[in-house]
Amino acid sequence: MNTSKHLRSWVASANGHADFPLQNLPMGIFSVGQSGKRCGVAIGDMIFDLRAALDASVFNGVARLAAETACRDQLNDFFALGASARQALRAELLHLLDEKSPQRDRLKLMGSTLLRPISDCQMHLPARVGDYTDFYVGIHHATNVGLLFRPENPLLPNYKYVPIAYHGRASTLCVSGTPVKRPMGQTLAPGADAPTLGPSKRLDYELEVGVWIGPGNEAGVPIEIARASQHIAGFSLLNDWSARDLQAWEYQPLGPFLSKSFATSLSPWVVTAEALAPFRASQPKRPEGDPAPLAYLLDDEDQNNGALDIELEVLIQTEHMKTKSLAPHRLALSNTLHMYWTVAQMVAHHSVNGCQLQAGDVFGTGTLSGPHPGQLGSLLEMTHGGKHSIELPGGETRTFLLAGDEVILKARCRREGQVSIGFGECRGVIVG
Ligand code: CA
């Protein structure tokens, strides 16, 4: 299908929109006032109401089936349909919303029944998440954190063979905009003999991408890497809020537990694999001396075209900055090209033991820091474990997050000859 830069929409705000031009068409679940949750597609500043479009009989064939399946209060069933149904719906949406669409005048007449300002709508998590797994594929983050915890041995020997992950807590995934309450937990003060219970004093964010799983696999049947992309429905931004003092005390021997499970924020729009297709890249070459992945993690097509080139940004706006009308301040600008493993490798590894993945499962990539200052995806790295504070506009400093601090993640894809697309925002303000 032609999604070149020449395509424009009759929804005027879409043309030149930073996040949601016609070429993106991300899907999400929204409600208005007391109305029920339903599926919408972001186009410019508006939400295209899929139910209203279906009621107007604008879809045909496979696209109609796909739209009917998406028109529930979650996208799990739609994700389970897989790539061909998703692509059929996208093709019809591109056609309907194109400025030259023969349906344009009829659709315009539907007015706010069909198109509502995003600002009037409440967004929800796009799917019921059965399981959430957080990977650790940002090798610069893994090295930086390893240096803080184990200076003599920052990167454990399994890292370059295994896409490392831990099982997160699906029940505390929340949609962007949900306030994040400072967690209580056990911490061991420096020099103390025994821990105490109290609120975390080292609350942090992690800049990650969330992966929405599409069709699952049968229990006991691994997903081969060559087919892994067929099991990925789309992507959101993910902030894996982390209590570093709880984490330092609890993480050995089994990994993070309460330091992570109090909240994980996701942006509400699912940017599809199709929208991201123009922003694929080859997986960056491993440094000299690194082992090749084992055969079940190696696929030519995935190596040639399985990485993503997505700019990732994290910003902060404190309560003081809001009072002074100071704009959010950029803390880091990184990129998904810093992933040591591809998303397909994550899927293949997760299922190689027969573990069942299900539609609507979420994977986090892990914090995606780059190698340079200005590319660090957590305060833990920026402040060297809390040793150096950072300065903010308005004269404040931070080592970790304080009450009223709002963290904002953004993502942007850009490439010569392509219309840029974005992910919208993933926001969370610290309470307490
Ligand atoms: Ca994480």
Side-chain angles (χ1 to χ4, degrees):
M1 73 194 70
N2 177 12
T3 59
S4 77
K5 61 183 173 185
H6 304 296
L7 286 188
R8 293 170 60 83
S9 175
W10 52 264
V11 180
S13 63
N15 304 315
H17 196 276
D19 287 319
F20 308 134
L22 180 60
Q23 286 78 358
N24 193 346
L25 301 176
M27 300 178 69
I29 296 290
F30 76 101
S31 61
V32 188
Q34 298 305 307
S35 76
K37 291 194 228 172
R38 55 192 189 275
C39 176
V41 178
I43 175 84
D45 295 335
M46 311 297 278
I47 295 181
F48 179 90
D49 187 326
L50 215 54
R51 176 83 259 164
L54 258 178
D55 290 346
S57 302
V58 300
F59 298 114
N60 299 296
V62 178
R64 181 176 178 83
L65 174 74
E68 276 170 358
T69 309
C71 276
R72 298 180 185 156
D73 62 359
Q74 35 72 16
L75 291 173
N76 298 67
D77 302 332
F78 174 70
F79 288 167
L81 288 180
S84 57
R86 197 172 63 235
Q87 288 159 4
L89 180 58
R90 176 180 171 83
E92 289 232 352
L93 286 167
L94 279 169
H95 181 66
L96 287 170
L97 290 164
D98 188 294
E99 67 180 352
K100 298 191 187 79
S101 169
Q103 307 246 39
R104 161 192 168 145
D105 292 339
R106 175 172 165 243
L107 294 173
K108 270 188 165 178
L109 277 176
M110 291 175 69
S112 64
T113 314
L114 184 67
L115 285 166
R116 294 174 184 276
I118 293 179
S119 55
D120 289 355
C121 302
Q122 170 88 31
M123 297 305 302
H124 304 274
L125 278 184
R128 277 197 311 270
V129 181
D131 280 294
Y132 158 49
T133 305
D134 198 22
F135 282 81
Y136 200 48
V137 308
I139 191 168
H140 302 293
H141 172 77
T143 306
N144 293 338
V145 172
L147 278 169
L148 292 170
F149 285 95
R150 298 175 304 274
E152 70 297 338
N153 191 16
L155 210 57
L156 297 172
N158 59 4
Y159 188 87
K160 291 177 176 175
Y161 291 95
V162 179
I164 300 289
Y166 68 94
H167 285 297
R169 186 78 193 161
S171 65
T172 41
L173 289 173
C174 56
V175 73
S176 170
T178 309
V180 174
K181 191 176 167 194
R182 182 179 299 273
M184 298 283 286
Q186 279 194 28
T187 56
L188 186 68
D193 294 330
T196 53
L197 178 71
S200 169
K201 295 187 181 75
R202 290 161 73 92
L203 189 51
D204 199 356
Y205 55 81
E206 291 193 336
L207 173 61
E208 305 195 18
V209 170
V211 181
W212 291 98
I213 296 299
N217 56 314
E218 272 180 57
V221 182
I223 296 169
E224 289 176 21
I225 187 152
R227 295 198 43 79
S229 62
Q230 299 292 311
H231 294 263
I232 297 160
F235 301 83
S236 293
L237 284 160
L238 185 150
N239 185 342
D240 178 25
W241 303 96
S242 300
R244 301 301 182 190
D245 39 3
L246 277 63
Q247 187 179 358
W249 172 233
E250 76 177 6
Y251 89 102
Q252 287 180 315
L254 281 182
F257 182 28
L258 302 189
S259 56
K260 304 278 192 173
S261 61
F262 56 96
T264 304
S265 300
L266 279 158
S267 59
W269 293 107
V270 180
V271 178
T272 62
E274 289 70 40
L276 289 173
F279 309 102
R280 289 276 172 185
S282 59
Q283 176 66 355
K285 282 266 173 291
R286 289 186 162 200
E288 192 77 25
D290 281 14
L294 297 188
Y296 77 97
L297 295 172
L298 203 49
D299 174 74
D300 285 347
E301 170 58 21
D302 184 49
Q303 290 296 305
N304 293 335
N305 206 30
L308 291 161
D309 182 1
I310 306 171
E311 252 178 40
L312 303 170
E313 186 180 18
V314 53
L315 306 103
I316 189 169
Q317 193 180 31
T318 68
E319 210 161 73
H320 178 73
M321 290 168 68
K322 284 180 188 171
T323 311
K324 298 281 178 194
S325 300
L326 295 168
H329 170 70
R330 178 190 284 173
L331 294 171
L333 186 66
S334 188
N335 194 293
T336 44
L337 287 171
H338 298 305
M339 292 166 64
Y340 192 76
W341 300 97
T342 67
V343 177
Q345 287 174 321
M346 290 157 60
V347 170
H349 181 68
H350 203 311
S351 65
V352 72
N353 65 343
C355 172
Q356 186 174 30
L357 306 181
Q358 302 183 97
D361 284 357
V362 170
F363 290 180
T365 54
T367 310
L368 296 180
S369 298
H372 303 299
Q375 301 178 331
L376 302 173
S378 67
L379 287 173
L380 183 72
E381 294 167 88
M382 289 183 78
T383 66
H384 297 267
K387 287 191 200 70
H388 310 294
S389 60
I390 55 167
E391 290 181 16
L392 300 177
E396 289 177 287
T397 60
R398 286 292 181 278
T399 46
F400 292 98
L401 298 170
L402 299 181
D405 289 355
E406 185 161 30
V407 177
I408 306 151
L409 311 187
K410 295 185 183 186
R412 168 58 80 94
C413 307
R414 52 176 116 226
R415 185 164 284 185
E416 186 71 31
Q418 298 290 337
V419 171
S420 293
I421 63 170
F423 278 53
E425 294 179 336
C426 181
R427 285 178 176 262
V429 64
I430 304 300
V431 178

